[in-house]
Amino acid sequence: MVAKKPRIVIIGAGMAGLTAANKLYTTVGFKDSFELTLVEGGSRIGGRINTSEFGGDQIEMGATWIHGIGGSPVHKIAQEIGALESEKPWECMDGSSEDPTRFTTVAEGGLELDGTAVVEPVSGLFKKLMDYAQGKLVEEGDDSANESLNYSQIAEKALKTCIEVNGGIGRVSVGSYLRQGLKLYWALKGQEDGEVKGYENWTRKLLEDGVFRVFENIQRTYTSADDLLTLDFAAESEYRMCWGEEITIAKGYLSIIESLASVLPPGLVQLGRKVRQIEWLPVTTAREKSDMSNGYGNTSSTPVKLHFCDGTTMVADHVIVTVSLGVLKAGVQDDGSGMFNPPLPCFKTEAISRLGFGVVNKLFLQLSQNYDRKCQDFQSFPFLQMVFHRGDSELRQEKVPWWMRKTASMFPIYENSNVLLSWFAGKEALELESLKEEQIISGGTVSTL
């Protein structure tokens, strides 16, 4: 009699789920010892990764970058499968360059800003403040055109002031620290506020504040935060990325997913199997209840039972849950209606609930065919940074919708592409999801003209 192999079920066919399946299935001896199944609620593999096409160009609808190629397993796979080069153009990093000379910065009303006099000093300040917040070495030296300013000292003093005002570093937010840094910058400059010739109703402080908010909004898209005031300063310094440059994948992020899935036999991945509930401890003894409360999990031989939305069930000996954070947070209800039955131990649900969760959306727009005839001054659409008045300012233009005011930039996905990209975070990202295409096109175009 042949003994039944223990079954392992992985929930979710995104990057984490497929990586787990790939590693398990290719481990020597695994196929002889275990039965493996991967279930996915959607109709495709990839999860948050979805390489697609728009306007004849390849775009990334989800995950976009490799954040640091040094030591990155994603970069290693991309190298191995030849995905870093392509004969066709793709959504790359052109519009995300840190070189300020590549950008055209325009203030509300169509006023192009002087990069050297207005934009670069503020962008330099913001970068140094964030470097300090993230625990990076802030180099001393000629930080700005004004030799009397030292951005490193501004960063140190800004944090010290915030700690004193808030009663400890644990109560300091990234947003309050950045704003304090800007206040100190203004105080040290000692320059009186006033109108700037050629910039209509924009004063110098309004311009510098607007440029500073451009970089705050870029930071919001990095973190998916609705407001930087909600980001903990102390935790920011713990964030680490792999070293090396940040790149996109020439043949698309989906090529990584397809590579991971290519070793799995037909039938192992089951699509359209949305899990409603994981019955992970149907029967337990008093001893096992004690073990569970102490975090040891299911120590009995009782199998885990998966309940699917279509009414079917599946029994497994081990289950690996790789669903997205949003699904996981929604699934840890303790009233019996959540994903786990019984609910997970309190220390786990509390840890999950404390994890930050935000929304980021990308907006792709395609230039009309007669764009070049209307804009003879440009060979192509510029890498555009947009400086808006605050939403409550009396100087704001009513035609600019509120959801565009925290959009930092709009740029071609690669040089000379007719497909443009903007990023949205927080409430603005959610609003974008509720709008019709006509509203988005109208709001996006009037804001850049």
Side-chain angles (χ1 to χ4, degrees), residues 14 43 68 110 115 124 134 166 170 177 216 270 276 302 306 309 335 362 409 418 438:
S43 59
Q134 293 171 351
N166 292 281
Y177 155 77
E216 285 179 317
Q270 300 180 14
R276 177 177 60 82
T302 305
L306 303 181
C309 290
D335 58 0
K362 300 168 72 175
S409 58
N418 69 341
E438 294 78 9

Side-chain angles (χ1 to χ4, degrees), residues 387-434:
V387 178
F388 293 108
H389 285 294
R390 291 181 177 272
D392 57 357
S393 171
E394 295 180 355
L395 301 175
R396 73 186 189 280
Q397 296 185 359
E398 295 293 339
K399 67 179 182 179
V400 179
W402 68 269
W403 49 268
M404 277 295 298
R405 291 191 173 276
K406 289 188 178 180
T407 306
S409 58
M410 182 177 289
F411 49 81
I413 61 173
Y414 59 85
E415 197 158 5
N416 297 322
S417 172
N418 69 341
V419 175
L420 311 179
L421 169 62
S422 280
W423 292 79
F424 294 78
K427 292 192 292 288
E428 291 76 17
L430 290 172
E431 178 68 12
L432 198 67
E433 294 178 1
S434 70

